[in-house]
């Protein structure tokens, strides 16, 4: 169970960071993404990243 939490947490954190980067316009990949320069996606990414960190924390405790 701990390995599953850790993997899901890491994936959530990575995806959240990608969404933050796309939402703020710092990451323009893929170039045709509808999420680029849309600040709402940076907010969604922050929430997803926080959930990922919580899962990682739970897996390591």
């Amino acid at each position: 169970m701990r390995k599953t939490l850790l993997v899901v947490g890491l994936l959530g954190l990575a995806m959240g960071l990608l969404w933050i980067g796309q939402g703020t316009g710092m990451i323009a990949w893929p170039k045709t993404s509808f999420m680029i320069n849309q600040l709402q996606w940076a907010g969604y990414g922050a929430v997803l990243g926080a959930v990922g960190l919580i899962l990682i924390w739970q897996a390591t405790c």
Side-chain angles (χ1 to χ4, degrees):
M1 184 66 172
R2 287 183 177 214
K3 287 183 183 181
T4 303
L5 282 176
L6 183 61
V7 169
V8 171
L10 288 172
L11 289 174
L13 178 60
M15 188 176 294
L17 291 174
L18 175 65
W19 288 2
I20 290 170
Q22 285 183 326
T24 58
M26 294 181 70
I27 299 174
W29 175 82
K31 291 187 186 258
T32 59
S33 176
F34 61 92
M35 294 170 26
I36 296 174
N37 289 325
Q38 301 293 321
L39 286 180
Q40 69 187 20
W41 285 100
Y44 298 152
V47 171
L48 183 58
V51 170
L53 285 175
I54 291 169
L55 292 176
I56 293 168
W57 177 65
Q58 288 293 319
T60 58
C61 288

